[in-house]
């Protein structure tokens, strides 16, 4: 089906709101005692929600830009519009979300026995919140979904979690709410300065011209994207504010001569406002302390959604907002050094703390701190290899770490303990489980032919291009990651079956194989042939690099021709082409 036809049928709205419709059906038409019927309906509905998301694979990778656009006037008094759209990055992340949703519902079949109706309704509501964040092209709509998403996750941890669930749920909620409030202030500042620069400033005519040229760059030659941005720019030029994300990117990218339209100091302050919210969600060191508690206390499905998708909202936020809206702040030497420093600390710290854990689930949780630090490092080396690797690694982390939490959930359902010392020799009694665990362990540590390798290789290639010391330090995290994961596997799978209760453990059931097989297929597919996935990222990444480091490609070729060692150049002054057609 063509993009126009899919947009006409509101495919993004269908994907976004279908889970919420399922939640309402559960609440209104099912009685609490109908547990089997509720489980069957939830499994059917979550698969039904996945199927239309497959149509997004029709995204035209040769054109780039934002596609499947839906644009409806929503709250005209404040300039908020119901604007949905996806680029190549959000296509893959949306598909990952709908797939992880299926796994989360399937793994809950026997694990959840209390408040079953409410549980599945909460998961479906959470699904709508996450997808809405990815597909929103209006900042106000984005913020609504961002906040709505917190509520079902809070209840998922607080109601169906382990013994210390209330502490973990409140800590999660307060951390993320604090970041969200600061981000709201930054959004409001952007909202008010947009018409000021385009309408109220003495040089508004020059600003309008520069923002229009930047819009051509951001649109990537996509007429529908350009039309959406130009409509928002026209509002600003008439003195009316807008929340359009792409228009904000155009304002951030625009320059007056050699200076950015948004002054560097203001960009840094606004960058910091978004940074706090996204860094907490990633979570970056030192904002990570909520994550181990949330993972440990959450039910298996909650941990799978957290690791598989929710953490990616933070890294997605940096790619969608911080880099393209505040390109001068993002490439400022001080900001880059802080972001890289925190990322490297997170990589090493997360790995070292993971090695000291006695709780199986907590070990996997701290491994996420390390892996997400690697993704953040790839983003802030500000080159195509680093960004491509970081975005691919978002997907890879969702696959491998989501699978690891499913693996912990399988043994916890059977033994009701997460202590590593309570296991040993499980490969003798659960050979299928041991095989799946081995593959996902190798995926997590980046074994060639599995998905983790290509993502980490691209990130390290980008980091090495930027700074060899950064590359050496980040590589230690990979070595430490191999150490704690192989040690975990050795302690739980090998040796004799020391505990009597472990001798009668059953291997994976057909239902459990059903939700592991897609992850295994993806792990090998990306590891062996990643091109189909990377092709979705090419144009969005190229645009972001051009925004943050104008003339990057020409500079690289000149350095290589002169035999100069490359390093991340901070492009503080570069003018956009005078002719918009040059950008297309």
């Amino acid at each position: 089906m063509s993009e126009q036809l899919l947009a006409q049928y509101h495919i993004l709205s269908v994907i976004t709101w279908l889970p919420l419709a399922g939640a309402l059906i559960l609440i209104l038409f099912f009685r609490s005692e109908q547990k089997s019927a509720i489980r069957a309906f939830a499994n059917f509905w979550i698969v039904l929600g996945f199927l239309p998301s497959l149509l997004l694979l029709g995204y035209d990778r040769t054109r780039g830009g934002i596609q499947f656009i839906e644009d409806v006037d929503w709250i005209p008094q404040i300039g908020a519009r119901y604007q949905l759209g996806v680029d190549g990055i959000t296509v893959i992340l949306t598909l990952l979300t709908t797939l992880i949703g299926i796994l989360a519902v399937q793994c809950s079949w026997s694990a959840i026995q209390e408040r079953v109706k409410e549980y599945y309704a909460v998961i479906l509501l959470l699904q709508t919140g996450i997808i809405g964040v990815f597909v929103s092209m209006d900042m106000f709509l984005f913020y609504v979904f961002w906040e709505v998403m917190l509520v079902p996750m809070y209840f998922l941890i607080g109601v169906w979690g382990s013994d210390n669930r209330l502490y973990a749920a409140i800590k999660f909620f307060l951390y993320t709410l604090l970041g969200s409030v600061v981000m709201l202030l930054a959004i409001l500042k952007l909202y008010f300065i947009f018409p000021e620069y385009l309408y109220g400033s003495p040089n508004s005519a020059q600003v309008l011209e520069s923002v229009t040229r930047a819009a051509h760059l951001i649109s990537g030659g996509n007429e529908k994207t350009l039309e959406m941005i130009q409509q928002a720019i026209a509002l600003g030029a008439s003195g009316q504010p807008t929340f359009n994300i792409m228009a904000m990117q155009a304002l951030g990218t625009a320059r007056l001569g050699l200076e950015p339209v948004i002054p560097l100091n203001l960009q840094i302050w606004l960058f910091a406002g978004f940074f706090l919210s996204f860094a907490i969600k990633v979570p970056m060191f030192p904002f990570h302390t909520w994550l181990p508690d949330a993972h440990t206390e959450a039910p298996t499905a909650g941990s799978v959604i957290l690791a598989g998708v929710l953490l990616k909202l933070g890294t997605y936020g940096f790619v969608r907002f911080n880099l393209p809206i505040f390109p001068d702040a993002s490439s400022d030497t001080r900001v880059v050094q802080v972001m890289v420093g925190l990322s490297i600390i997170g990589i090493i710290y997360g790995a070292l703390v993971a090695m000291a854990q006695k709780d199986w689930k907590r070990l996997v949780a701290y491994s996420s701190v390390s892996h997400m630090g690697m993704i953040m490092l790839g983003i802030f080396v500000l080159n195509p290899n680093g960004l491509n690797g970081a975005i691919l690694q978002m997907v890879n982390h969702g696959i491998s770490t989501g699978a690891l939490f499913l693996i912990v959930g399988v043994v916890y359902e059977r033994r009701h303990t997460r202590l590593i010392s309570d296991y040993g020799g499980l490969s003798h009694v659960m050979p299928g489980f041991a095989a799946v665990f081995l593959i996902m362990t190798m995926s997590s540590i980046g074994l060639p032919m599995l998905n983790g390798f290509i993502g980490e290789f691209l990130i390290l290639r980008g980091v090495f291009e930027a700074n060899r010391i950064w590359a050496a330090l980040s590589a230690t995290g990979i070595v430490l990651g191999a150490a704690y994961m192989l040690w975990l596997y050795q302690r739980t799978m090998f040796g004799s079956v020391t505990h009597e209760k472990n001798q009668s453990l059953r291997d994976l059931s057909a239902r459990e194989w059903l939700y592991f097989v897609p992850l295994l297929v993806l792990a090998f597919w990306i590891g062996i042939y990643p091109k189909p996935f990377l092709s979705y990222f090419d144009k969005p990444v190229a645009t972001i690099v051009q925004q943050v480091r104008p003339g990057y490609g020409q500079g690289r070729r000149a350095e290589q021709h002169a035999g100069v060692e490359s390093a991340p150049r901070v492009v503080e002054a570069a003018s956009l082409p005078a002719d918009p057609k040059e950008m297309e």
Side-chain angles (χ1 to χ4, degrees):
M1 297 178 70
S2 67
E3 177 200 344
Q4 291 80 4
L5 191 58
L6 289 174
Q8 182 181 339
Y9 287 144
H10 306 288
I11 184 63
L12 292 180
S13 290
V14 170
I15 296 168
T16 304
W17 298 109
L18 202 58
L20 177 60
L24 292 175
I25 292 172
L26 277 175
I27 293 171
L28 296 175
F29 298 105
F30 285 84
R31 298 190 305 274
S32 298
E33 58 270 20
Q34 296 176 298
K35 294 183 179 180
S36 296
I38 290 169
R39 291 188 183 101
F41 174 81
N43 277 269
F44 162 76
W45 199 265
I46 200 72
V47 173
L48 183 65
F50 171 73
L51 294 177
S53 69
L54 293 174
L55 295 174
L56 297 182
L57 292 173
Y59 176 89
D60 187 351
R61 288 164 279 180
T62 62
R63 286 198 304 133
I66 305 299
Q67 299 179 23
F68 309 109
I69 293 173
E70 299 178 27
D71 189 355
V72 179
D73 208 5
W74 181 29
I75 313 177
Q77 290 82 356
I78 61 173
R81 300 183 66 84
Y82 179 79
Q83 291 179 321
L84 305 181
V86 291
D87 63 5
I89 297 171
T90 41
V91 165
I92 299 300
L93 291 177
T94 301
L95 282 164
L96 177 67
T97 303
T98 55
L99 175 62
I100 293 294
I102 293 176
L103 307 183
V105 169
Q106 286 184 340
C107 75
S108 305
W109 187 280
S110 58
I112 302 300
Q113 298 297 329
E114 301 295 330
R115 298 180 180 270
V116 176
K117 180 173 77 170
E118 293 85 354
Y119 173 83
Y120 286 111
V122 163
I123 285 187
L124 289 169
L125 175 59
L126 179 59
Q127 190 84 343
T128 286
I130 296 172
I131 295 173
V133 168
F134 285 135
V135 302
S136 295
M137 288 294 115
D138 180 277
M139 277 193 181
F140 188 84
L141 184 63
F142 166 86
Y143 189 79
V144 169
F145 280 120
W146 183 271
E147 290 295 279
V148 165
M149 175 188 61
L150 301 182
V151 178
M153 196 68 217
Y154 169 80
F155 284 111
L156 202 59
I157 299 171
V159 176
W160 292 277
S162 302
D163 297 338
N164 207 22
R165 57 185 179 271
L166 287 179
Y167 168 77
I170 293 172
K171 190 175 183 179
F172 161 78
F173 194 87
L174 290 179
Y175 261 72
T176 49
L177 185 62
L178 171 64
S180 298
V181 170
V182 177
M183 181 174 68
L184 177 60
L185 296 176
I187 289 174
L188 289 174
K189 180 63 177 177
L190 281 171
Y191 171 77
F192 286 117
I193 66 173
F194 188 82
E196 287 181 10
Y197 285 122
L198 291 173
Y199 176 77
S201 64
N203 54 358
S204 57
Q206 294 93 323
V207 172
L208 177 60
E209 182 183 355
S210 182
V211 172
T212 302
R213 291 202 303 268
H216 282 79
L217 168 66
I218 294 167
S219 68
N222 187 317
E223 293 181 1
K224 291 289 186 182
T225 306
L226 182 60
E227 181 182 344
M228 178 180 70
I229 302 172
Q230 287 178 331
Q231 287 176 354
I233 293 173
L235 285 174
S238 64
Q240 301 178 57
T242 180
F243 284 103
N244 184 267
I245 294 172
M246 308 308 289
M248 297 298 182
Q249 290 185 11
L251 179 65
T253 306
R255 314 186 75 82
L256 289 177
L258 300 179
E259 296 299 322
V261 170
I262 304 177
L264 177 60
N265 286 339
L266 179 56
Q267 281 197 32
I268 290 176
W269 279 107
L270 293 173
F271 180 101
F274 283 92
F275 161 81
L276 183 61
S277 183
F278 297 147
I280 289 172
K281 188 70 73 179
V282 168
M284 289 185 71
F285 177 91
F287 308 104
H288 67 283
T289 56
W290 66 268
L291 180 67
D293 293 317
H295 268 313
T296 303
E297 303 303 326
T300 299
S303 294
V304 170
I305 294 172
L306 261 175
V309 185
L310 213 64
L311 305 188
K312 313 308 176 297
L313 297 175
T315 49
Y316 169 77
F318 281 107
V319 172
R320 175 66 75 212
F321 292 89
N322 288 58
L323 266 61
I325 298 180
F326 317 116
D328 293 85
S330 299
S331 60
D332 184 83
T333 305
R334 297 163 295 176
V335 173
V336 170
Q337 288 175 346
V338 169
M339 298 302 295
V340 168
L342 292 178
S343 300
I344 292 175
I345 291 172
I347 292 169
I348 299 174
Y349 167 82
L352 289 174
V353 177
M355 293 182 70
Q357 297 306 307
K358 299 179 180 179
D359 184 303
W360 193 334
K361 201 173 186 182
R362 206 169 181 86
L363 183 151
V364 178
Y366 273 107
S367 77
S368 287
V369 175
S370 183
H371 288 302
M372 296 305 292
M374 182 68 76
I375 292 172
M376 286 301 302
L377 180 61
I379 292 173
F380 277 91
V381 295
L382 306 178
N383 58 48
N385 280 321
L387 271 167
N388 274 310
I391 296 166
L392 183 62
Q393 200 64 0
M394 292 184 207
V395 180
N396 293 336
H397 180 266
I399 294 168
S400 59
T401 308
L404 290 174
F405 278 115
L406 287 171
I407 285 165
V408 178
V410 167
V411 293
Y412 182 76
E413 277 190 48
R414 290 157 169 75
R415 285 280 279 111
H416 300 290
T417 176
R418 294 189 300 264
L419 290 177
I420 297 171
S421 58
D422 288 339
Y423 297 97
L426 292 187
S427 60
H428 298 294
V429 294
M430 303 174 69
F433 172 84
V436 172
F437 187 18
L438 178 63
I439 293 170
M440 286 307 170
T441 295
M442 296 305 169
S443 166
S444 179
I445 66 180
L447 186 76
M449 303 293 286
L450 288 168
N451 58 328
F453 172 75
I454 186 63
E456 289 182 348
F457 179 85
L458 284 171
I459 291 174
L460 286 176
R461 173 67 182 84
V463 177
F464 189 85
E465 175 188 324
N467 188 296
R468 295 182 181 183
I469 296 176
W470 298 350
L473 290 173
S474 60
T476 60
I478 297 176
V479 176
L480 292 172
Y484 64 71
M485 286 306 301
L486 292 175
W487 191 26
L488 171 65
Y489 192 85
Q490 182 267 327
R491 285 183 289 171
T492 55
M493 298 295 111
F494 294 153
S496 58
V497 184
T498 53
H499 292 268
E500 184 178 344
K501 292 182 179 179
N502 293 340
Q503 294 177 354
S504 58
L505 293 180
R506 68 183 188 280
D507 205 353
L508 295 177
S509 65
R511 177 177 54 81
E512 289 164 341
W513 274 111
L514 191 62
Y515 57 70
F516 277 121
V517 166
L519 299 177
L520 294 171
V521 170
L522 285 171
F524 281 107
W525 183 3
I526 297 175
I528 295 171
Y529 189 56
K531 182 181 177 181
F533 298 86
L534 290 170
S535 63
Y536 281 93
F537 311 148
D538 281 342
K539 287 190 176 295
V541 165
T543 300
I544 292 170
V545 172
Q546 185 63 24
Q547 289 173 272
V548 180
R549 300 176 66 179
Y552 168 83
Q554 294 89 332
R556 284 286 298 152
R557 285 191 291 270
E559 289 170 354
Q560 291 169 357
H561 180 72
V564 178
E565 179 183 352
S566 64
R569 296 184 301 107
V570 180
V571 181
E572 296 179 350
S575 59
L576 295 168
D579 184 358
K581 293 181 179 179
E582 295 179 24
M583 298 181 183
E584 301 176 10

